[in-house]
Amino acid sequence: MSIDQIDYQLFHAINEWGRSASFLNPFMRFFAEDAFYLFFAGFLFYWFVRNENNRKMVIQSVISVCGGLVVSWLLGHLFYRDRPFVSHAVIQLIQHAANASFPSDHAIGAFAIAASFALYRKKEGIAWLIMAALIAFSRVWTGVHYPTDILGGALIGVIVAAVVHMLVNRSQTVSNWLNAGLNFYEKYEMKILPRYAKKEAQISTHRK
């Protein structure tokens, strides 16, 4: 049995749960279409905590997603593969364009962000990785990706996140660029959104 046949059989088994366990379909639609926005909420939360490590983590995750999507674009053109609903009769629970199926951009983005978060915040990172896995799995359940699309996307996301993290931590040049960009941003941010603690200190000093 070929890898493609195994891949389709596994896809078919998971996708059929959309019929046999249809009570879970609303959850799977949410993870397939909307759960990714939780990562953007995470970006905003970690960024505006205004902690240096958190901000480096967010920057690295954004770079990782961009890098992963470039890899996805290249692979999608070099190894084009139709979506499951183009080639087979499937239980399709969400709408999707009939574009390249391999690798999964959702899996790349979710795992690139989750892995970046996990490299800085291990305990919270586990929760983000579980979220990424649910997003990836739901894309098979809802009929828009094969399991190998998801696996490939997850591997690309994790590898790119690890490479970006290594470059930032081991390359002084890259680290200096990141710090310079962050300092430039924070210089103007302080003028628009001065830190609350700093305001309190100024008020306290004035009262004395």
Side-chain angles (χ1 to χ4, degrees), residues 179-198:
N179 289 330
L182 195 52
N183 289 337
F184 179 81
Y185 165 83
E186 290 182 341
K187 175 183 175 181
Y188 290 95
E189 180 190 48
M190 286 295 295
K191 294 178 179 179
I192 301 169
L193 297 169
R195 288 182 186 274
Y196 180 76
K198 209 165 189 179

Side-chain angles (χ1 to χ4, degrees), residues 14-31:
I14 296 171
N15 184 239
E16 275 296 312
W17 292 342
R19 196 190 320 274
S20 60
S22 59
F23 65 95
L24 290 175
N25 287 346
F27 298 100
M28 289 301 161
R29 287 193 190 98
F30 167 75
F31 283 114

Side-chain angles (χ1 to χ4, degrees), residues 57-127:
M57 176 182 75
V58 171
I59 292 170
Q60 285 184 41
S61 62
V62 171
I63 294 171
S64 298
V65 171
C66 293
L69 292 178
V70 170
V71 174
S72 174
W73 183 84
L74 290 171
L75 291 176
H77 282 76
L78 292 172
F79 307 101
Y80 186 86
R81 183 189 202 184
D82 283 326
R83 298 267 173 179
F85 56 81
V86 173
S87 305
H88 307 282
V90 306
I91 302 168
Q92 188 180 348
L93 300 177
I94 61 174
Q95 295 297 313
H96 204 288
N99 52 9
S101 187
F102 178 85
S104 165
D105 287 346
H106 272 74
I108 289 173
F111 276 94
I113 296 169
S116 297
F117 286 179
L119 287 167
Y120 275 90
R121 308 177 70 89
K122 291 181 181 178
K123 290 183 179 179
E124 294 169 27
I126 293 171

Side-chain angles (χ1 to χ4, degrees), residues 3 6 14 24 38-39 46 96 98 101 125 158-159 189 198:
I3 293 176
I6 295 171
I14 296 171
L24 290 175
L38 295 175
F39 285 101
Y46 287 128
H96 204 288
S101 187
V158 170
I159 290 170
E189 180 190 48
K198 209 165 189 179

